Amino acid sequence: SGPTLSAASYVRAASLTTVPAKHAQKNTREFDIAIVGGGLVGLATARELLLRHGADGLRVCVLEKESKIAQHQSSHNSGVIHAGIYYAPGSQRAKLCVEGMARTYEFCDKYKVPYDKCGKLIVAVTAEELPRLKALYERGKQNGVPNLRMVTPREIQQIEPHIRGLAGIYSPETGIIDWEKVAIEMCRQFKEAGGQVKLNFEANGFDETSDGKISIRTAFGQSVSAQNVITCAGLYSDRVAALTGGQSDPLIAPFRGDFLKLKDEYTHLVNGLVYPVPNPAFPFLGVHFTKTMKNGEVWLGPNAVLATAREGYSWTKINLADIWSYVQHKGFRKLVFKHWKFGVGEFYRDVVMSAFVENLKAYMPTLSTSHTERGPSGVRAQALAEDGSLVEDFVFETNRVGTGSAQVIHVRNAPSPAATA
C-alpha cells in the first residue's frame, strides 16, 4: 500500500481545450493506462489524459461493468452544480468545487449541455440555527464562492415565495444539470480522441504480466493489459482496491437516499434549490427542495437509510455479502452506536410519507402530503474510517501489482461534490 495523493491531478470534471482530432485506436487489449469505472470521475480522468497526452500516442481505455456508462452515482443523484459553500476551507473538496463549478458551466456552454443556474437558498428556521448559518456564510466566503450573500426573511420570500425562514444564504451561481448527459458528452469526446470504452467488463483480478505490466481480467475470461491503472469504482472502490493489495480502510457503506417529488401541478411551489442549515450532530445534510432538469420535476429529500445492497435502490434488493461487509466493520458499528436514533428516525420517515413531509413543512408551511408522491432513489458510496467517522474529503491511494514498475492509483473516496469538482 502506498501514500494518499492530491486530487488535482486526477479529478478534473471539465477542460476547455478542444478535443484533438485523431483516428480511433485499433480495438486492442494493450494500453498505457486502463481506467476501471465508467462513471463521471473515470470518464473525466480518461478524457483529460487524452486531452493532455493523446497527441503523443497515449493509449487509454475505460472498463465499465455495466452495459452503459454512468449507471450508478453519476446518474442517481440530485443533479446539483455545487458552489463550494459547505466544505472545510483548505480541503480538496473546497478548492476543487469552486474551480469545478466555473469549469462545468464553461464546458456546458461550449458543448451545448443544458443546465439551469437557478440559485440556492440555505434557510435557517430556528434561532439555534442562526449562528451556524453565519458561520457557513463565512466559510463560503473563505472558500471563494462567488456572489454569496446573506438574505432577510423578506428577501427569502422574494426568491422563493412559498418558503419561510428567519434568515438565509443565497448562492445565485449554484445550478442544476443532468450529470448523466455530462458523462455521455465526456465519453463521446474521449472516444473521438482515440480512447476505447469496454462495456460489460467487470474487473475482478489484477496480475503482473511477464513484461511488468498489469493484466486486468473478468470472471468470464476477458482481459486487457496496461502499464498503469486508475480505479474509479465508486460503490466498489474498497473492493477493487483490495484486489491489488490496497488498504482495508476506508470501507464503503452504501446509504440509500429516497426522494419524494412534487406532483406536476405543484412544481410551481419551488423556483430553485432550498437547503437546510447542516446540523453537526447528524451525519448527513438533511432533506431539501431540488428543482431538477428531469422534465421540470421538483424532488424533496433525500433521506439517508442504510442500503441492503451496494446497488440497493429499493428495500427489495438485498445482498447478504454486502451487508456482512459493513456489519462486521468496527467503524460501522461505532457509527451505528453513535447515531442509532438518527437512523431509526430516517427509517421511520422513509416508510411514513407524512413524517417525511412534516420535516419539509418547517420550510414550506403550506406543503401537504397530497402535494407529493414517491420519487427516485440513489445510493451514496459513504466512506467510513475505522473510528466510525465519515470520511469527508477525497482519498487516493497508490500501490503496485507484483514487483514491476506498473502502478495502480485508486480513487478510494469521491464524495459530493465530486461531479462538480
Side-chain angles (χ1 to χ4, degrees):
S1 298
T4 57
L5 306 172
S6 165
S9 300
Y10 307 109
V11 188
R12 298 285 185 174
S15 171
L16 304 182
T17 311
T18 302
V19 177
K22 181 182 176 182
H23 295 296
Q25 301 164 1
K26 293 180 180 179
N27 188 24
T28 180
R29 295 194 306 151
E30 297 184 359
F31 300 92
D32 299 302
I33 299 175
I35 295 173
V36 177
L40 273 166
V41 175
L43 291 166
T45 303
R47 173 182 177 273
E48 187 71 15
L49 284 167
L50 285 189
L51 286 173
R52 296 185 186 189
H53 305 293
D56 301 325
L58 188 73
R59 298 169 301 167
V60 182
C61 72
V62 171
L63 309 175
E64 169 53 47
K65 78 181 186 71
E66 305 293 355
S67 60
K68 294 170 63 179
I69 61 166
Q71 290 304 290
H72 294 292
Q73 292 183 106
S74 298
S75 56
H76 291 76
N77 58 71
S78 54
V80 176
I81 303 172
H82 290 283
I85 301 168
Y86 296 99
Y87 317 115
S91 67
Q92 295 181 104
R93 288 205 294 175
K95 293 175 183 177
L96 293 176
C97 187
V98 173
E99 179 184 351
M101 179 181 68
R103 283 174 170 258
T104 297
Y105 286 134
E106 292 178 28
F107 175 91
C108 292
D109 287 339
K110 184 165 188 175
Y111 298 111
K112 312 302 181 188
V113 179
Y115 65 87
D116 181 359
K117 195 181 290 189
C118 61
K120 175 166 78 173
L121 270 174
I122 302 171
V123 179
V125 294
T126 67
E128 179 188 15
E129 291 178 336
L130 292 174
R132 298 205 303 268
L133 183 77
K134 180 64 174 176
L136 192 62
Y137 172 74
E138 296 299 335
R139 171 177 282 195
K141 296 297 286 185
Q142 190 174 344
N143 288 343
V145 176
N147 301 321
L148 200 65
R149 62 188 175 94
M150 295 287 293
V151 291
T152 64
R154 183 176 179 181
E155 289 172 312
I156 288 172
Q157 287 189 251
Q158 289 172 345
I159 298 166
E160 292 283 356
H162 300 280
I163 297 297
R164 300 294 182 267
L166 301 179
I169 298 170
Y170 184 53
S171 170
E173 302 302 315
T174 302
I176 55 174
I177 196 167
D178 184 341
W179 285 111
E180 186 176 7
K181 290 183 178 179
V182 176
I184 290 169
E185 175 60 21
M186 286 186 169
C187 185
R188 182 193 70 77
Q189 294 181 20
F190 170 66
K191 291 195 288 187
E192 186 177 281
Q196 286 190 38
V197 177
K198 296 183 181 293
L199 301 172
N200 301 303
F201 192 110
E202 182 172 356
N204 76 343
F206 297 79
D207 303 298
E208 185 181 17
T209 64
S210 58
D211 57 354
K213 295 181 180 180
I214 299 173
S215 173
I216 309 167
R217 52 182 166 75
T218 73
F220 303 102
Q222 300 165 286
S223 67
V224 301
S225 66
Q227 185 61 50
N228 295 287
V229 175
I230 302 173
T231 73
C232 308
L235 286 160
Y236 298 92
S237 62
D238 55 343
R239 290 187 180 175
V240 172
L243 294 174
T244 69
Q247 298 175 16
S248 58
D249 284 317
L251 168 86
I252 294 298
F255 280 85
R256 189 176 69 252
D258 293 325
F259 289 90
L260 299 181
K261 63 180 183 179
L262 290 177
K263 294 176 180 177
D264 290 346
E265 58 267 36
Y266 297 109
T267 56
H268 67 278
L269 296 175
V270 177
N271 293 328
L273 305 169
V274 181
Y275 276 55
V277 178
N279 187 337
F282 299 135
F284 297 109
L285 177 61
V287 294
H288 40 275
F289 298 78
T290 306
K291 181 182 177 182
T292 75
M293 298 293 289
K294 309 279 190 181
N295 301 314
E297 291 181 352
V298 175
W299 296 355
L300 316 176
N303 59 3
V305 294
L306 187 65
T308 50
R310 295 207 181 203
E311 297 175 22
Y313 295 105
S314 72
W315 287 113
T316 60
K317 181 68 178 293
I318 299 172
N319 185 304
L320 295 179
D322 287 349
I323 294 171
W324 176 248
S325 71
Y326 49 79
V327 167
Q328 55 81 36
H329 188 269
K330 184 186 300 184
F332 174 78
R333 295 197 298 272
K334 289 182 177 179
L335 178 74
V336 171
F337 181 77
K338 182 178 180 180
H339 294 294
W340 69 269
K341 288 184 180 180
F342 173 84
V344 170
E346 288 292 278
F347 175 79
Y348 176 71
R349 286 183 287 273
D350 192 56
V351 175
V352 181
M353 187 185 293
S354 60
F356 200 134
V357 171
E358 195 63 32
N359 257 20
L360 293 158
K361 288 179 71 173
Y363 305 90
M364 185 184 288
T366 58
L367 184 67
S368 166
T369 305
S370 64
H371 298 159
T372 67
E373 59 189 355
R374 294 287 180 183
S377 298
V379 179
R380 169 181 179 171
Q382 179 58 60
L384 285 179
E386 191 173 4
D387 65 1
S389 62
L390 305 184
V391 181
E392 298 290 354
D393 211 350
F394 299 115
V395 176
F396 297 81
E397 180 186 356
T398 178
N399 56 33
R400 300 185 186 279
V401 174
T403 58
S405 61
Q407 182 172 253
V408 183
I409 297 170
H410 298 290
V411 181
R412 294 294 303 267
N413 191 41
S416 178
T420 305

